[in-house]
Amino acid sequence: MFERTIKRGDVIELAGIEGMVLSIGLRSSIVRTRAGHEIIIPNGELIQGHVDNLSFHDTNLRLDVEIGVSYSSDPHEVRQILLDAAAAHSGILSVPAPEVLLMGYGDSSVDFELRVWITNAWLVPRIRSDLLFVCWD
C-alpha cells in the first residue's frame, strides 16, 4: 500500500471482483463494483493476493471483442465492417490502430476478434456492447 500500486480511482480485479477503488484506509479499502455494491476489502488481501490493476501506470487498455459470423459471410467484408465500427466509436483510440484477427473456424461460425484500445477501463462493458450492436446492424 505504501508503494502506491493501488490508488483511489483505480479499476482493479481481485478474486473475481472487479471495481473502482473508492478509498484506502489503514486496515481496509472500499471498492465499488459495476453493479454499485461497495465491498470492504482488508488491505492484507490487497497486499498478499493477486490484484490486476487495469489503470496503474496507463489508463489505456486493450479490449478484445469476439465475433462469430456465418460461413456464407465474406471474411474481407466482415473485417471492414469491424474496422468501420471501431473507427466510428468515440471511445476508441485511433493509435494504436484497431485490428481484426481471424481466430478460427468453429462448428457453426467463422470466428473473428476485434482488438481496440480504449482510455477508460470502467467503460469496457459499454464499449463492448456498442461494438456488438453496430456489428449486428
Side-chain angles (χ1 to χ4, degrees), residues 99-125:
E99 63 180 342
V100 175
L101 302 172
L102 176 57
M103 300 303 289
Y105 304 104
D107 291 337
S108 60
S109 65
V110 180
D111 301 324
F112 291 85
E113 185 171 272
L114 171 61
R115 292 183 176 177
V116 298
W117 286 86
I118 63 174
T119 60
N120 186 339
W122 196 248
L123 297 178
V124 164

mmCIF file of all heavy atoms in Angstrom, residues 99-125:
data_model
loop_
_atom_site.group_PDB
_atom_site.id
_atom_site.type_symbol
_atom_site.label_atom_id
_atom_site.label_comp_id
_atom_site.label_asym_id
_atom_site.label_seq_id
_atom_site.Cartn_x
_atom_site.Cartn_y
_atom_site.Cartn_z
ATOM 1 N N GLU A 99 -7.491 -3.540 -34.832
ATOM 2 C CA GLU A 99 -7.135 -4.613 -35.754
ATOM 3 C C GLU A 99 -8.148 -5.737 -35.647
ATOM 4 O O GLU A 99 -8.808 -5.904 -34.628
ATOM 5 C CB GLU A 99 -5.715 -5.118 -35.502
ATOM 6 C CG GLU A 99 -5.489 -5.737 -34.152
ATOM 7 C CD GLU A 99 -4.058 -6.226 -33.966
ATOM 8 O OE1 GLU A 99 -3.334 -6.393 -34.955
ATOM 9 O OE2 GLU A 99 -3.673 -6.447 -32.815
ATOM 10 N N VAL A 100 -8.266 -6.490 -36.728
ATOM 11 C CA VAL A 100 -9.177 -7.616 -36.783
ATOM 12 C C VAL A 100 -8.359 -8.865 -37.086
ATOM 13 O O VAL A 100 -7.568 -8.884 -38.030
ATOM 14 C CB VAL A 100 -10.255 -7.413 -37.870
ATOM 15 C CG1 VAL A 100 -11.133 -8.652 -37.995
ATOM 16 C CG2 VAL A 100 -11.102 -6.183 -37.547
ATOM 17 N N LEU A 101 -8.579 -9.893 -36.273
ATOM 18 C CA LEU A 101 -7.886 -11.163 -36.468
ATOM 19 C C LEU A 101 -8.905 -12.253 -36.771
ATOM 20 O O LEU A 101 -9.965 -12.310 -36.136
ATOM 21 C CB LEU A 101 -7.096 -11.548 -35.212
ATOM 22 C CG LEU A 101 -6.059 -10.540 -34.737
ATOM 23 C CD1 LEU A 101 -5.504 -10.952 -33.390
ATOM 24 C CD2 LEU A 101 -4.946 -10.415 -35.754
ATOM 25 N N LEU A 102 -8.580 -13.105 -37.726
ATOM 26 C CA LEU A 102 -9.380 -14.293 -37.988
ATOM 27 C C LEU A 102 -8.858 -15.360 -37.034
ATOM 28 O O LEU A 102 -7.713 -15.795 -37.141
ATOM 29 C CB LEU A 102 -9.226 -14.732 -39.446
ATOM 30 C CG LEU A 102 -9.936 -16.017 -39.865
ATOM 31 C CD1 LEU A 102 -11.423 -15.954 -39.598
ATOM 32 C CD2 LEU A 102 -9.671 -16.307 -41.329
ATOM 33 N N MET A 103 -9.677 -15.758 -36.073
ATOM 34 C CA MET A 103 -9.217 -16.621 -34.993
ATOM 35 C C MET A 103 -9.394 -18.105 -35.265
ATOM 36 O O MET A 103 -8.698 -18.921 -34.680
ATOM 37 C CB MET A 103 -9.941 -16.254 -33.687
ATOM 38 C CG MET A 103 -9.709 -14.812 -33.254
ATOM 39 S SD MET A 103 -7.976 -14.374 -33.036
ATOM 40 C CE MET A 103 -7.593 -15.284 -31.553
ATOM 41 N N GLY A 104 -10.347 -18.462 -36.137
ATOM 42 C CA GLY A 104 -10.532 -19.882 -36.393
ATOM 43 C C GLY A 104 -11.867 -20.178 -37.032
ATOM 44 O O GLY A 104 -12.676 -19.288 -37.302
ATOM 45 N N TYR A 105 -12.066 -21.457 -37.242
ATOM 46 C CA TYR A 105 -13.282 -21.960 -37.874
ATOM 47 C C TYR A 105 -14.012 -22.836 -36.870
ATOM 48 O O TYR A 105 -13.571 -23.938 -36.546
ATOM 49 C CB TYR A 105 -12.941 -22.747 -39.139
ATOM 50 C CG TYR A 105 -12.136 -21.917 -40.123
ATOM 51 C CD1 TYR A 105 -10.762 -22.107 -40.278
ATOM 52 C CD2 TYR A 105 -12.746 -20.929 -40.876
ATOM 53 C CE1 TYR A 105 -10.032 -21.345 -41.171
ATOM 54 C CE2 TYR A 105 -12.017 -20.155 -41.767
ATOM 55 C CZ TYR A 105 -10.660 -20.364 -41.899
ATOM 56 O OH TYR A 105 -9.932 -19.596 -42.775
ATOM 57 N N GLY A 106 -15.119 -22.326 -36.346
ATOM 58 C CA GLY A 106 -15.892 -23.066 -35.361
ATOM 59 C C GLY A 106 -16.852 -24.037 -36.014
ATOM 60 O O GLY A 106 -16.915 -24.159 -37.242
ATOM 61 N N ASP A 107 -17.614 -24.736 -35.192
ATOM 62 C CA ASP A 107 -18.591 -25.699 -35.694
ATOM 63 C C ASP A 107 -19.665 -25.030 -36.544
ATOM 64 O O ASP A 107 -20.110 -25.597 -37.533
ATOM 65 C CB ASP A 107 -19.261 -26.443 -34.531
ATOM 66 C CG ASP A 107 -18.298 -27.371 -33.810
ATOM 67 O OD1 ASP A 107 -17.285 -27.776 -34.426
ATOM 68 O OD2 ASP A 107 -18.552 -27.682 -32.633
ATOM 69 N N SER A 108 -20.054 -23.811 -36.150
ATOM 70 C CA SER A 108 -21.130 -23.152 -36.891
ATOM 71 C C SER A 108 -20.808 -21.695 -37.222
ATOM 72 O O SER A 108 -21.700 -20.960 -37.636
ATOM 73 C CB SER A 108 -22.428 -23.216 -36.084
ATOM 74 O OG SER A 108 -22.252 -22.569 -34.846
ATOM 75 N N SER A 109 -19.554 -21.280 -37.043
ATOM 76 C CA SER A 109 -19.214 -19.891 -37.330
ATOM 77 C C SER A 109 -17.739 -19.731 -37.669
ATOM 78 O O SER A 109 -16.910 -20.556 -37.282
ATOM 79 C CB SER A 109 -19.546 -18.997 -36.125
ATOM 80 O OG SER A 109 -18.729 -19.333 -35.024
ATOM 81 N N VAL A 110 -17.460 -18.666 -38.407
ATOM 82 C CA VAL A 110 -16.081 -18.226 -38.620
ATOM 83 C C VAL A 110 -15.838 -17.198 -37.528
ATOM 84 O O VAL A 110 -16.606 -16.251 -37.365
ATOM 85 C CB VAL A 110 -15.892 -17.595 -40.026
ATOM 86 C CG1 VAL A 110 -14.455 -17.146 -40.208
ATOM 87 C CG2 VAL A 110 -16.307 -18.579 -41.105
ATOM 88 N N ASP A 111 -14.782 -17.386 -36.749
ATOM 89 C CA ASP A 111 -14.568 -16.599 -35.545
ATOM 90 C C ASP A 111 -13.508 -15.520 -35.752
ATOM 91 O O ASP A 111 -12.372 -15.806 -36.155
ATOM 92 C CB ASP A 111 -14.162 -17.517 -34.394
ATOM 93 C CG ASP A 111 -15.226 -18.570 -34.121
ATOM 94 O OD1 ASP A 111 -16.420 -18.244 -34.248
ATOM 95 O OD2 ASP A 111 -14.862 -19.717 -33.796
ATOM 96 N N PHE A 112 -13.902 -14.281 -35.442
ATOM 97 C CA PHE A 112 -13.031 -13.121 -35.564
ATOM 98 C C PHE A 112 -12.832 -12.506 -34.181
ATOM 99 O O PHE A 112 -13.630 -12.726 -33.261
ATOM 100 C CB PHE A 112 -13.656 -12.058 -36.478
ATOM 101 C CG PHE A 112 -13.728 -12.453 -37.908
ATOM 102 C CD1 PHE A 112 -14.794 -13.202 -38.388
ATOM 103 C CD2 PHE A 112 -12.728 -12.071 -38.793
ATOM 104 C CE1 PHE A 112 -14.862 -13.562 -39.725
ATOM 105 C CE2 PHE A 112 -12.787 -12.431 -40.127
ATOM 106 C CZ PHE A 112 -13.860 -13.177 -40.593
ATOM 107 N N GLU A 113 -11.787 -11.696 -34.068
ATOM 108 C CA GLU A 113 -11.577 -10.909 -32.859
ATOM 109 C C GLU A 113 -11.222 -9.492 -33.270
ATOM 110 O O GLU A 113 -10.288 -9.285 -34.038
ATOM 111 C CB GLU A 113 -10.460 -11.516 -32.014
ATOM 112 C CG GLU A 113 -10.267 -10.829 -30.678
ATOM 113 C CD GLU A 113 -9.306 -11.585 -29.792
ATOM 114 O OE1 GLU A 113 -9.752 -12.485 -29.062
ATOM 115 O OE2 GLU A 113 -8.090 -11.271 -29.854
ATOM 116 N N LEU A 114 -11.997 -8.552 -32.763
ATOM 117 C CA LEU A 114 -11.724 -7.129 -32.969
ATOM 118 C C LEU A 114 -10.945 -6.649 -31.751
ATOM 119 O O LEU A 114 -11.407 -6.794 -30.614
ATOM 120 C CB LEU A 114 -13.034 -6.352 -33.112
ATOM 121 C CG LEU A 114 -12.936 -4.826 -33.132
ATOM 122 C CD1 LEU A 114 -12.087 -4.335 -34.298
ATOM 123 C CD2 LEU A 114 -14.330 -4.207 -33.161
ATOM 124 N N ARG A 115 -9.757 -6.092 -31.977
ATOM 125 C CA ARG A 115 -8.927 -5.576 -30.889
ATOM 126 C C ARG A 115 -8.837 -4.065 -31.005
ATOM 127 O O ARG A 115 -8.417 -3.548 -32.041
ATOM 128 C CB ARG A 115 -7.521 -6.179 -30.948
ATOM 129 C CG ARG A 115 -7.514 -7.661 -30.639
ATOM 130 C CD ARG A 115 -6.116 -8.214 -30.641
ATOM 131 N NE ARG A 115 -6.131 -9.610 -30.245
ATOM 132 C CZ ARG A 115 -5.058 -10.373 -30.202
ATOM 133 N NH1 ARG A 115 -3.877 -9.868 -30.532
ATOM 134 N NH2 ARG A 115 -5.146 -11.622 -29.832
ATOM 135 N N VAL A 116 -9.263 -3.398 -29.945
ATOM 136 C CA VAL A 116 -9.237 -1.933 -29.913
ATOM 137 C C VAL A 116 -8.621 -1.475 -28.597
ATOM 138 O O VAL A 116 -8.569 -2.226 -27.625
ATOM 139 C CB VAL A 116 -10.657 -1.337 -30.068
ATOM 140 C CG1 VAL A 116 -11.274 -1.710 -31.402
ATOM 141 C CG2 VAL A 116 -11.566 -1.766 -28.921
ATOM 142 N N TRP A 117 -8.162 -0.238 -28.595
ATOM 143 C CA TRP A 117 -7.614 0.370 -27.386
ATOM 144 C C TRP A 117 -8.552 1.472 -26.927
ATOM 145 O O TRP A 117 -9.039 2.261 -27.737
ATOM 146 C CB TRP A 117 -6.219 0.930 -27.656
ATOM 147 C CG TRP A 117 -5.205 -0.165 -27.769
ATOM 148 C CD1 TRP A 117 -4.897 -0.879 -28.887
ATOM 149 C CD2 TRP A 117 -4.400 -0.690 -26.729
ATOM 150 N NE1 TRP A 117 -3.928 -1.815 -28.601
ATOM 151 C CE2 TRP A 117 -3.603 -1.722 -27.284
ATOM 152 C CE3 TRP A 117 -4.246 -0.389 -25.374
ATOM 153 C CZ2 TRP A 117 -2.691 -2.450 -26.527
ATOM 154 C CZ3 TRP A 117 -3.343 -1.107 -24.628
ATOM 155 C CH2 TRP A 117 -2.576 -2.130 -25.205
ATOM 156 N N ILE A 118 -8.808 1.496 -25.606
ATOM 157 C CA ILE A 118 -9.686 2.489 -25.015
ATOM 158 C C ILE A 118 -8.938 3.195 -23.873
ATOM 159 O O ILE A 118 -7.889 2.717 -23.430
ATOM 160 C CB ILE A 118 -10.998 1.860 -24.515
ATOM 161 C CG1 ILE A 118 -10.733 0.852 -23.390
ATOM 162 C CG2 ILE A 118 -11.735 1.197 -25.665
ATOM 163 C CD1 ILE A 118 -11.988 0.302 -22.752
ATOM 164 N N THR A 119 -9.485 4.306 -23.396
ATOM 165 C CA THR A 119 -8.795 5.081 -22.362
ATOM 166 C C THR A 119 -9.412 4.937 -20.977
ATOM 167 O O THR A 119 -8.878 5.476 -20.022
ATOM 168 C CB THR A 119 -8.779 6.581 -22.720
ATOM 169 O OG1 THR A 119 -10.127 7.029 -22.826
ATOM 170 C CG2 THR A 119 -8.037 6.830 -24.003
ATOM 171 N N ASN A 120 -10.515 4.225 -20.857
ATOM 172 C CA ASN A 120 -11.190 4.150 -19.568
ATOM 173 C C ASN A 120 -11.661 2.717 -19.317
ATOM 174 O O ASN A 120 -12.630 2.258 -19.912
ATOM 175 C CB ASN A 120 -12.374 5.122 -19.560
ATOM 176 C CG ASN A 120 -13.040 5.219 -18.217
ATOM 177 O OD1 ASN A 120 -12.937 4.344 -17.372
ATOM 178 N ND2 ASN A 120 -13.757 6.318 -18.008
ATOM 179 N N ALA A 121 -10.976 2.031 -18.403
ATOM 180 C CA ALA A 121 -11.300 0.631 -18.106
ATOM 181 C C ALA A 121 -12.715 0.460 -17.571
ATOM 182 O O ALA A 121 -13.314 -0.597 -17.724
ATOM 183 C CB ALA A 121 -10.292 0.069 -17.101
ATOM 184 N N TRP A 122 -13.250 1.494 -16.967
ATOM 185 C CA TRP A 122 -14.601 1.405 -16.418
ATOM 186 C C TRP A 122 -15.648 1.260 -17.527
ATOM 187 O O TRP A 122 -16.746 0.758 -17.309
ATOM 188 C CB TRP A 122 -14.882 2.644 -15.566
ATOM 189 C CG TRP A 122 -16.053 2.472 -14.666
ATOM 190 C CD1 TRP A 122 -17.242 3.124 -14.766
ATOM 191 C CD2 TRP A 122 -16.174 1.602 -13.541
ATOM 192 N NE1 TRP A 122 -18.097 2.716 -13.766
ATOM 193 C CE2 TRP A 122 -17.462 1.771 -12.994
ATOM 194 C CE3 TRP A 122 -15.327 0.680 -12.936
ATOM 195 C CZ2 TRP A 122 -17.912 1.071 -11.890
ATOM 196 C CZ3 TRP A 122 -15.776 -0.018 -11.832
ATOM 197 C CH2 TRP A 122 -17.051 0.183 -11.322
ATOM 198 N N LEU A 123 -15.316 1.686 -18.747
ATOM 199 C CA LEU A 123 -16.278 1.660 -19.854
ATOM 200 C C LEU A 123 -16.224 0.381 -20.693
ATOM 201 O O LEU A 123 -16.899 0.297 -21.715
ATOM 202 C CB LEU A 123 -16.043 2.874 -20.758
ATOM 203 C CG LEU A 123 -16.260 4.231 -20.103
ATOM 204 C CD1 LEU A 123 -15.961 5.347 -21.083
ATOM 205 C CD2 LEU A 123 -17.666 4.364 -19.536
ATOM 206 N N VAL A 124 -15.440 -0.603 -20.295
ATOM 207 C CA VAL A 124 -15.297 -1.843 -21.084
ATOM 208 C C VAL A 124 -16.652 -2.456 -21.449
ATOM 209 O O VAL A 124 -16.905 -2.719 -22.629
ATOM 210 C CB VAL A 124 -14.388 -2.864 -20.368
ATOM 211 C CG1 VAL A 124 -14.534 -4.256 -20.965
ATOM 212 C CG2 VAL A 124 -12.941 -2.409 -20.433
ATOM 213 N N PRO A 125 -17.558 -2.702 -20.505
ATOM 214 C CA PRO A 125 -18.834 -3.334 -20.894
ATOM 215 C C PRO A 125 -19.634 -2.490 -21.882
ATOM 216 O O PRO A 125 -20.226 -3.013 -22.828
ATOM 217 C CB PRO A 125 -19.589 -3.489 -19.568
ATOM 218 C CG PRO A 125 -18.546 -3.428 -18.520
ATOM 219 C CD PRO A 125 -17.471 -2.528 -19.051
#
